[in-house]
Amino acid sequence: MDKRYELDQVKLLSVYTMGEPGKRTFFLIIGQKEDWIRVWLEKEQLEALGLAVDQFLFTLSREHPDLPRNEDETSLSDHVPSRMPSAELEIDQIVLGFEGEWAALDFLAHVVGPQSEETAQLTCRAALAQLKELGSQAKSVCAAGRPRCVLCGRPIDPEGHTCPSDN
Ligand SMILES: [Zn+2]
């Protein structure tokens, strides 16, 4: 049986990263101040999310040019909750939608832990300005990774780099 989480008008919607360059792990914090869910994702998924948000907002602004921005309702915070998350999920798929004046993020995921085959669906509604901020966080976090080799374009680890084009 699927677990379902529904979070309306979230206050927290941010990208976090832990660890050294090259060994970083990525997660989103989604929820209200002390009632939140940790959503783990791969760097590739985070990159894709950043691009998808851009595309989504671009399409939306063309289809709804008169859309209210409700930016003043947004109080984005970099508050990291002190309480443990109420759930930990690993993302399989993210779908962006639009409901009323809100962005709807649908996360298809599975639960982290011993019952990791258990699937979950998380629906989160946020202001468009929050979604936009999430997208730019995703892009800047991904861009802040390891420097890339000018010869082969692959990331350079802190321990060094064995270049496949150097033979
Ligand atoms: Zn190289």
Side-chain angles (χ1 to χ4, degrees):
M1 183 69 189
D2 276 4
K3 273 210 159 57
R4 291 188 67 95
Y5 303 94
E6 200 152 335
L7 302 172
D8 264 325
Q9 304 185 16
V10 293
K11 291 278 183 289
L12 298 171
L13 183 63
S14 306
V15 180
Y16 284 82
T17 174
M18 299 192 318
E20 297 292 311
K23 299 189 181 76
R24 293 189 300 169
T25 52
F26 305 89
F27 60 89
L28 309 178
I29 285 185
I30 302 175
Q32 316 300 344
K33 238 181 171 175
E34 295 296 335
D35 181 16
W36 62 289
I37 291 175
R38 189 187 341 246
V39 176
W40 295 94
L41 72 181
E42 301 292 332
K43 187 182 179 189
E44 290 70 28
Q45 294 173 313
L46 194 60
E47 272 173 334
L49 176 63
L51 295 175
V53 166
D54 277 354
Q55 185 63 48
F56 175 80
L57 292 175
F58 177 71
T59 306
L60 199 63
S61 68
R62 285 178 49 158
E63 288 173 358
H64 305 266
D66 52 343
L67 203 63
R69 303 252 140 215
N70 61 12
E71 300 196 17
D72 43 343
E73 289 171 41
T74 318
S75 54
L76 269 178
S77 84
D78 47 9
H79 172 81
V80 179
S82 51
R83 285 179 50 185
M84 295 295 285
S86 52
E88 303 226 29
L89 306 177
E90 273 174 0
I91 285 301
D92 299 313
Q93 200 187 340
I94 306 174
V95 180
L96 300 176
F98 182 58
E99 292 177 14
E101 294 175 6
W102 299 91
L105 293 91
D106 267 314
F107 298 92
L108 304 179
H110 53 274
V111 178
V112 177
Q115 284 97 34
S116 60
E117 63 279 3
E118 191 177 16
T119 58
Q121 184 174 357
L122 163 63
T123 303
C124 142
R125 288 180 197 86
L128 292 176
Q130 286 178 292
L131 183 68
K132 188 177 178 185
E133 173 63 23
L134 182 74
S136 41
Q137 282 184 10
K139 284 184 290 184
S140 66
V141 161
C142 287
R146 292 165 287 175
R148 290 192 176 263
C149 172
V150 292
L151 294 176
C152 68
R154 295 185 190 195
I156 298 172
D157 289 318
E159 304 87 63
H161 171 65
T162 311
C163 190
S165 68
D166 183 28
N167 53 19

